Amino acid sequence: MAGRYRSLSGALVDAEKRRRSSNGYDSDDDAPDLISSPDQPMLGQASSNPGKPSFAYHLPRRRFGRYFTLVIASALLLFIYYLVHSSWTSSAEIKLGLKKPPAPPPAWESFPFLKRYHGGIRRLVDRAGHKAEYPAGSDEEELKVLQDAAMAQKTKEDVVDVKDGGFQRKREPAEAGAGFTGRSERFNPRVKGEAQAYEDEFEPAVKCYLDNKTKLEVPGLLAYKGVTEGFPDPVMGSYEVLGLRNDVCFERYGRLGPYGYGYSRKFGGSGAGMEGEREGSEEVWLGDEEQQVDYRTVKWADAQRQCVEANAHRFQPVLERGRNHFFTSMGTAGGPLPELQAAAEEDAAINETTTGPHGKKLVPRTAVIIRTWSDYQYDTEDILYLRALTNELALHSGGQYAIHFLIHVKDDNLQIWADDATHQRVLDAALPEEFRGMGTLWSERQMGLIYGGVQESFYRDLPVHGAYRSTYMPVQYFAHMHPEFEAFWHWEMDVRYTGHFYHLFASVAAWAKRQPRKGLWERNGRFYVPSEHGSWEDFRQMVRVQTEHGTAGKQNLYAGKLNADAAGKHPLDEASRRPESPVWGPLRPTGEGDTTADPDDDPQPPTPYEQDKYEWGVGEEADFITFNPLFDPHGTNWILAEDVTGYNTSGGAAYPPRRTAIITASRLSRRLLATMHAETALRRHTMFSEMWPGSVALHHGYKAVYAPHPVYIDRAWPTSYLAAVFNNGRNGAAGGARTSVFSDERQHNFLGTTWYYHAGFSANLWRRWLGMRVDNDGGEEAEGTGEGRMCVPAVLVHPVKQVDLVFEHQQGE
């Protein structure tokens, strides 16, 4: 028995050694002792010590521990990396403004839409007894009236009818009334009260025609007496202040019918306006001026030339020689010839002439420069607009105005300066046939030659001689080459006017001439809101107080409207609300070396500011007239405020004094353009387009005027809130502080207006007025069953682009 046990024990020991060898243990000392000893039971035997395990084989704990530790350490490292990376990313997003929560909608989006802009000629009332839908009085009254009106309109429109298995909204025709309640009349564009004075002062005009031989003329505009019931009043600007008529309104046939709208192309019309509601439209072609003009035969260049020739007695003699084109003529004489010197003396003598054959004053001429480009595609609506401009300004004024196209050739490699045939081909192709002979080509490369030496900064990656940054460069040079004009209206292809252009231009120019210089720059920098500011005299005195006393006190009219934040802290610093020194005379740049051109010729105030009784400047023609405030860009977030070239702004030097008017539609005097030309050519000074003419006028003490023309808005803003938003800059001005409405993040407030570079209401109002359907409202059916065609007072709108009129097509098109 003992032998058998020893044999079994020896076999177990050998087996254990073999197992150890297979497990990689080098010696018996390295391996765990799994063989029983006197203190250890054999496998399968119960242990005599209850504290020890009942088996002898243990798991490989070291290997498991290493893997487990590695996994935990890796997870911790990944977690730490995630936290650090997230922190860096979050910090970068905050700095860059990324992943911001969506901003709340602007406050104005909660205001109700106005309903009475789209009233028609079947519901006209006299202006004297008219009650406008807006402004209606106090802010609370305005909101209550409009909420009630919106509810009433919804109740009327929510009548439905089953037709062809679907639902169709049905309007109530009874609300329109029956027949016309107003009468139409030919519109007289002469400025009320000034027409006779003008005729007494200046040489009389000879009537102009489309063709002097046939005495063909354009019918006069047809206006309706009164205004559509409830039509809103302008929220900014004023008809009464500028002397514009607001006792009549215009519908599309009375306004555009004389220019080919509403009759067939086989009769020389545009073929547009042949469909839709036409009740009473034929009246525009009836009466003493009965005819529909065949525009297929009209040559506007010839009509303008004949008009000027017939009225030559009214103007300074035209200098046929003009100026020398030294860079293209390449003369060989090496200097002025005696005959050129004599011609210059003769021209100077001619310019001394101030009276005509009747002993009355000569009329200063004005060029209306229309900005366009060589591959511009003119549509039917564009043609109607250009015909109206040319007839109402050039022909109606007896040649006082001249229409001219300044055409940008964008391809600098076209050889328009080296080859006459190329130049003529490009010029002919750039204009519709009826306007050929009225254009001048220019290119950015040409401006680089004329205004060489201007520092190139590529501000916002754009060239300094480009059309965007230096819009006025070609205008400056055009004025330099055309001394026969004393003033220049800079006009754009996307401006529209529902009234008569001569009435607008003459009224605005006459009003600007009457303005005194005292407080003028300060008034120029603010929007005029009649419902809040009262009369123009009240507004003038309010501006004086804000300027001379500041707005830090509690007496500030708009202090409680929006100027304090939730913590009661004013968003403007104390310096932005302190009293200011009003502009009185030239305000020069202060940078070292920033001298201006010909400073000795600049006008100087005749008396100190305090002694002036609002007399200086009255009767003086304005050098610069704008249709938006001339605001101070300093301190604002207007993104182009620092596009200043040639001035000393290094080493922390202050920028020169600046003034900006958004939208370049404006009138500039010869004096202002000549100074801008000299500043750019000789001093190498320039600024961004909308900042340049206003700033030059400020530096040289010229007379600049913001004309507060009527501006409408599409929603019922509380007018006190509106005044505070639009005049939320320094001391109640529109600019001069970060809170300015012209700061980039605040310009959305203009979207619902009729006049701004990106206004949306302007195009919508114009299209609805043309009888088009906009935002599923208006159109032929609405006019036929409702109040008829829209009738709108004279209003200037911008921008209006790509209006696709419905017009007849001829066979083969």
Side-chain angles (χ1 to χ4, degrees), residues 573-627:
D573 56 28
E574 189 67 23
S576 297
R577 296 181 288 143
R578 291 175 183 167
E580 303 173 57
S581 296
V583 177
W584 192 239
L587 190 60
R588 310 281 191 203
T590 58
E592 183 179 354
D594 285 343
T595 57
T596 56
D598 301 322
D600 295 338
D601 296 334
D602 294 343
Q604 299 294 331
T607 64
Y609 177 83
E610 296 77 12
Q611 297 178 14
D612 183 79
K613 305 300 182 183
Y614 291 96
E615 296 172 346
W616 184 38
V618 176
E620 177 188 8
E621 290 286 354
D623 291 285
F624 190 40
I625 301 175
T626 73
F627 290 110

Side-chain angles (χ1 to χ4, degrees), residues 403-590:
I403 308 299
H404 201 82
F405 296 85
L406 200 55
I407 305 165
H408 180 197
V409 180
K410 297 182 180 181
D411 184 357
D412 278 332
N413 294 317
L414 276 176
Q415 295 297 335
I416 55 175
W417 311 120
D419 182 67
D420 290 345
T422 302
H423 183 279
Q424 194 61 46
R425 174 178 57 81
V426 174
L427 184 58
D428 288 345
L431 291 174
E433 185 175 358
E434 62 186 279
F435 294 100
R436 287 177 184 171
M438 298 169 60
T440 296
L441 304 180
W442 74 277
S443 68
E444 294 181 5
R445 183 173 291 173
Q446 178 196 21
M447 293 301 105
L449 173 64
I450 295 169
Y451 296 111
V454 177
Q455 180 184 359
E456 182 56 87
S457 61
F458 282 104
Y459 189 86
R460 298 181 66 82
D461 298 324
L462 294 167
V464 71
H465 294 99
Y468 183 71
R469 289 181 60 196
S470 296
T471 301
Y472 287 102
M473 275 189 183
V475 183
Q476 295 167 191
Y477 191 63
F478 181 88
H480 178 70
M481 300 302 296
H482 290 275
E484 67 269 27
F485 299 113
E486 288 300 316
F488 302 81
W489 276 100
H490 185 265
W491 216 240
E492 301 176 6
M493 279 299 301
D494 55 357
V495 175
R496 298 293 184 269
Y497 188 55
T498 58
H500 196 289
F501 278 109
Y502 180 86
H503 183 64
L504 171 69
F505 281 24
S507 299
V508 167
W511 182 82
K513 186 176 180 179
R514 294 193 299 266
Q515 297 314 296
R517 281 177 171 261
K518 186 172 184 176
L520 183 58
W521 280 105
E522 289 70 38
R523 295 192 297 277
N524 285 343
R526 289 163 169 82
F527 287 96
Y528 172 49
V529 184
S531 58
E532 289 296 313
H533 298 149
S535 68
W536 183 256
E537 178 61 26
D538 293 337
F539 176 67
R540 187 171 76 172
Q541 295 305 323
M542 182 199 75
V543 174
R544 179 187 63 81
V545 171
Q546 288 180 334
T547 303
E548 296 178 1
H549 300 280
T551 55
K554 294 182 179 179
Q555 67 274 17
N556 178 14
L557 182 62
Y558 304 112
K561 297 298 179 184
L562 59 79
N563 286 340
D565 59 18
K569 183 180 178 181
H570 202 285
L572 298 177
D573 56 28
E574 189 67 23
S576 297
R577 296 181 288 143
R578 291 175 183 167
E580 303 173 57
S581 296
V583 177
W584 192 239
L587 190 60
R588 310 281 191 203
T590 58

